[in-house]
Amino acid sequence: MRRLFPEPADDIGVDQAYAAPLGTGAQRPWVGLCMVASIDGSIAVGGTSGQLSSPTDIAVLGQLRRIADVIVVGAGTVREEGYGPPTTPGQRIGVVTGSGRLDYDSELFGSGGAFVITAESSDFDAPAHVDVLRAGRDRLDPAEMVRRLPEMVERCVFVQAEGGAALNGAMFDADLIDEVNLTTSPAVFGGDGPRLTSGAPSITRRFDVAQVAVDDESFVYTRWLRRRG
Ligand SMILES: NC(=O)c1ccc[n+]([C@@H]2O[C@H](COP(=O)([O-])OP(=O)(O)OC[C@H]3O[C@@H](n4cnc5c(N)ncnc54)[C@H](OP(=O)(O)O)[C@@H]3O)[C@@H](O)[C@H]2O)c1
C-alpha cells in the first residue's frame, strides 16, 4: 500500500502500517473497530461483507487480528459470515448475543477459543464446553463487558471489535471505541445494506485521522483515533 499520511511512503507493508494499536487503555483494554464499507456507506452487500473486501483489506484484518488479544463480534455477524476459531495463540473470540442462538457445534466453539457474552438476565443455556461472560443485569452492559474481558484471557491489552452494525451502535453509544480501522471499498452498491452503526441514539463521537493509505485497486485504508477531552 502507499501511505499518504502521516509520513508518506510509496510502498509500506500492511504489517508495518498496522503494527500496533494507536494507543493503550488505562482502566480497561484499548478497543479498535475494524470494518470495510462502500463509498455509499454500506457494510454488507447481499448479506455479507465479501464483495466489499480485497486481498489487501483481508491482510489488514489479518494483521489486526494478529495483534489482538480478544476479538469481540455480534452474533448476527457470526451467523451471516461464519467465523472460524482464533488463529493467534492465546487469543479468544467473544460472541455477543441476547438470544444464545449460535451453532455451538461449530469449529469456532468446538475449539474452546470462543466464548459467549450476554446479560445476566438472558435465559438460554450455553453447553458446558462454552464459557459465558455475563455483563449487565437486564441487558448487556458493553462497558462492563470490556472491563471484564481480561478475565477470559491471560493478557488483554488490545480488543478488536469486528461488528456488525448493532454491536457497533452499542459500543459507540457507550463510547468504547478508541480507534477505527476503516477500509473504503471503491464502489457504490446502492440498496439498503446496513451502515457502520445501527440502533444507537443520536451521538457525536469525534475522531482524528491517524493514517491514510491507498492501494493500486483504489481501496482507501484509514485509521482514526478517538478524540478525548
Ligand atoms: N463490512 C464489515 O466490515 C462488516 C463487519 C461485520 C459485519 N458486517 C455485516 O453486518 C451484518 C450484521 O449486522 P448486525 O447488525 O446483525 O450485527 P451484529 O451486531 O453482528 O449482530 C446483531 C446481534 O448480535 C447480538 N447483539 C449485538 N449487540 C448486542 C447488544 N448490545 N446486546 C445484546 N446482544 C447484542 C444480538 O444477537 P442475538 O440475535 O443472538 O440476540 C443481535 O441480534 C452482516 O450483514 C455482516 O455481513 C460487515
Side-chain angles (χ1 to χ4, degrees), residues 16-27:
Q16 213 182 325
Y18 293 84
L22 295 176
T24 48
Q27 312 298 328

Side-chain angles (χ1 to χ4, degrees), residues 105-150:
D105 296 326
S106 62
E107 218 191 317
L108 171 65
F109 285 106
S111 70
F115 60 96
V116 163
I117 304 171
T118 196
E120 278 173 34
S121 59
S122 300
D123 59 2
F124 65 88
D125 287 318
H129 70 278
V130 176
D131 291 339
V132 180
L133 174 65
R134 293 188 184 269
R137 263 180 107 90
D138 299 331
R139 55 192 208 123
L140 181 86
D141 178 341
E144 188 185 341
M145 169 187 81
V146 171
R147 263 197 321 272
R148 293 188 47 206
L149 285 173

Side-chain angles (χ1 to χ4, degrees), residues 14-102:
V14 166
D15 52 348
Q16 213 182 325
Y18 293 84
L22 295 176
T24 48
Q27 312 298 328
R28 59 163 177 81
W30 185 264
V31 181
L33 173 64
C34 179
M35 297 289 290
V36 57
S38 65
I39 291 175
D40 55 334
S42 182
I43 63 155
V45 179
T48 71
S49 58
Q51 283 188 62
L52 293 159
S53 192
S54 71
T56 306
D57 176 55
I58 291 167
V60 168
L61 177 67
Q63 168 59 19
L64 288 168
R65 279 183 178 173
R66 261 190 293 284
I67 61 170
D69 303 303
V70 175
I71 291 169
V72 172
V73 62
T77 297
V78 170
R79 290 191 288 259
E80 290 294 333
E81 305 257 348
Y83 257 64
T87 49
T88 301
Q91 182 183 76
R92 298 191 80 187
I93 300 177
V95 183
V96 178
T97 180
S99 68
R101 197 165 57 80
L102 292 160

Side-chain angles (χ1 to χ4, degrees), residues 184-218:
T184 302
S185 185
V188 168
F189 287 99
D192 293 317
R195 63 188 183 105
L196 207 81
T197 66
S198 72
S202 186
I203 48 173
T204 303
R205 306 286 182 232
R206 284 296 307 269
F207 287 78
D208 291 312
V209 65
Q211 181 170 270
V212 181
V214 294
D215 68 13
D216 292 343
E217 304 300 319
S218 287

